[in-house]
Amino acid sequence: MPCKSLPTEGAQAQAGQAQNMEIVGRLTGGVVHDFNNILTVITGTIEILAEAVADRPELATVAALIGEAAARGANLTSYLLAFARAQPSRPRDVDVNALVGEAARLLRPTLGEQIEIESILASDVAAAMVDPHQLMALVLNLAILARDAMPDGGKLTIQTENAPALHAGDHSVAAADYVRIAVSASCYGIFADYQDRAFVDLGVVQDCIKQSNGHIKVGCEAGRGTRVEIYFPTATARSAADDTNTAPAEGGDEAILIVEDDMLVRKYVVSQVQSLGYRTLAAGNASEALTIIDASEDIDLLFTDVMMPGPLNGRQLAIEALHRRPSLKVLYTSGYAENALVHDRRLDADALLLAKPYRKADLAKMIRTALAA
């Protein structure tokens, strides 16, 4: 089945498309920031309720359902940020089959009835070392591009399997193994006609591959369709960070200044930090925070949101605070860090970031990490 033919786009059109994508990304980021604030309160308070009703099975079941719904909402916001290319890359062990299954579920209403979706998942496929939200955005983007190239309908196949490094074209690490994710369309020419535009539109594809030390292959044969193969290194060992996720929340008695403009989030964070044994001070913006810093004798940690109203964001507040108190430790939090802490999809080396929404165990762990830095 031939693919739909698109007119050739010049440099000016590509620049306009890139500008449009940037605008969409900023709008998406703003909405996600507010939604992640809401999810932070929901995720955290449902944990508290779940503990309170642990001895009442009927209520514990309801609390668990709310928690699962909040987790799904958090995943969706992360996918949106991955589309907008507005969050740092965090490669980790990923169950590729589970992710592809979720992608297929999201794609069915998007691709329409004319596109058949087939998933061929190897039962023994290894975990891949990749950012799961970037990978989800990658698969969704490729599928949508395939849909646009099949206006009369067709078949989209997503396949997973293990692959030796040699198949990935990586001769420098021949001893390593890869996980191969192939997205195939029952037409030919998706990238033959659209290659320049495709990789402008699908910058997330290149980002994901680059950040994860992966590889990409594109094959297009008349009568057989187009096949895009993405290779990611297998996850050979779980990270120490993952292993500590089940450890009990550790607290302390240090003084923490919490800076958060959203009142609901601020109240929640203060209560959670106090429940861990810490002494707390709170501010709604950078100006209030600096006043507290100038007046208070004992502050061990500045825990600040990145995006705040006023002349100073969280990053700028931290710089000013460190001028006044060089020994102060800093921990950032954000539902959307934008460019304040993230450059070239990487978190600044000197920054510790706790992404919203988060659970109490994550909060406790990051506070101890920041105080020990």
Side-chain angles (χ1 to χ4, degrees):
M1 179 187 299
C3 297
K4 180 182 177 183
S5 179
L6 287 183
T8 303
E9 296 184 37
Q12 185 175 0
Q14 289 187 2
Q17 175 72 5
Q19 185 178 27
N20 290 338
M21 290 297 291
E22 181 179 357
I23 293 172
V24 171
R26 288 184 177 275
L27 289 173
T28 300
V31 172
V32 168
H33 173 266
D34 290 340
F35 191 52
N36 274 336
N37 276 339
I38 296 170
L39 283 174
T40 297
V41 177
I42 294 173
T43 300
T45 53
I46 200 60
E47 278 191 301
I48 298 172
L49 289 175
E51 292 176 2
V53 300
D55 59 344
R56 301 183 61 182
E58 71 284 2
L59 294 180
T61 299
V62 174
L65 286 174
I66 298 174
E68 290 173 9
R72 179 172 291 185
N75 281 335
L76 289 174
T77 59
S78 294
Y79 299 151
L80 286 173
L81 287 180
F83 270 114
R85 303 169 71 186
Q87 67 177 7
S89 175
R90 296 185 178 92
R92 59 179 183 267
D93 294 12
V94 172
D95 182 338
V96 175
N97 283 351
L99 186 141
V100 169
E102 176 70 7
R105 186 186 67 81
L106 292 173
L107 282 169
R108 293 191 188 283
T110 302
L111 299 188
E113 296 179 356
Q114 289 184 309
I115 305 294
E116 177 189 354
I117 302 175
E118 181 183 26
S119 298
I120 304 175
L121 311 179
S123 60
D124 64 341
V125 71
M129 181 58 68
V130 62
D131 184 304
H133 304 118
Q134 283 187 337
L135 178 55
M136 175 66 79
L138 182 157
V139 173
L140 297 181
N141 268 300
L142 288 175
I144 290 170
L145 183 65
R147 177 204 61 186
D148 293 343
M150 298 185 291
D152 299 323
K155 184 176 182 180
L156 176 75
T157 303
I158 307 175
Q159 183 177 5
T160 64
E161 58 186 339
N162 297 317
L166 183 62
H167 289 179
D170 190 350
H171 301 281
S172 63
V173 288
D177 287 328
Y178 284 76
V179 175
R180 174 166 50 208
I181 302 171
V183 179
S184 306
S186 59
C187 67
Y188 60 89
I190 291 178
F191 287 94
D193 292 339
Y194 298 71
Q195 189 165 358
D196 291 338
R197 174 193 150 181
F199 283 100
V200 169
D201 290 350
L202 303 182
V204 68
V205 174
Q206 295 173 309
D207 285 346
C208 185
I209 294 169
K210 177 182 177 182
Q211 300 287 357
S212 303
N213 297 315
H215 303 271
I216 183 170
K217 285 183 177 181
V218 179
C220 183
E221 298 181 22
R224 296 190 60 185
T226 298
R227 180 179 173 92
V228 180
E229 296 181 351
I230 311 293
Y231 294 80
F232 294 106
T234 58
T236 54
R238 299 201 64 82
S239 67
D242 290 334
D243 292 338
T244 59
N245 281 340
T246 57
E250 180 184 357
D253 60 0
E254 291 90 345
I256 300 177
L257 172 56
I258 298 162
V259 188
E260 169 62 61
D261 64 288
D262 188 296
M263 182 181 65
L264 288 176
V265 178
R266 186 168 65 251
K267 287 182 177 180
Y268 160 71
V269 175
V270 168
S271 67
Q272 290 293 73
V273 172
Q274 288 178 347
S275 73
L276 291 167
Y278 298 102
R279 292 166 288 141
T280 62
L281 304 96
N285 55 52
S287 297
E288 292 178 10
L290 290 175
T291 299
I292 293 173
I293 288 171
D294 289 338
S296 301
E297 295 183 3
D298 184 14
I299 300 177
D300 299 293
L301 174 68
L302 171 65
F303 181 38
T304 179
D305 194 9
V306 177
M307 293 182 65
M308 293 187 296
L312 299 180
N313 61 30
R315 181 63 150 169
Q316 294 164 332
L317 165 62
I319 292 172
E320 183 61 33
L322 287 169
H323 281 316
R324 305 181 186 197
R325 292 174 179 253
S327 63
L328 186 67
K329 307 297 184 180
V330 179
L331 173 61
Y332 299 98
T333 184
S334 182
Y336 171 52
E338 204 187 21
N339 295 323
L341 296 176
V342 180
H343 298 88
D344 192 26
R345 298 299 297 273
R346 294 183 183 275
L347 186 67
D348 291 349
D350 63 338
L352 282 175
L353 176 66
L354 177 60
K356 296 176 181 176
Y358 49 79
R359 298 186 179 276
K360 184 176 180 179
D362 300 318
L363 173 64
K365 173 187 170 184
M366 289 301 293
I367 287 176
R368 293 316 311 171
T369 299
L371 287 169

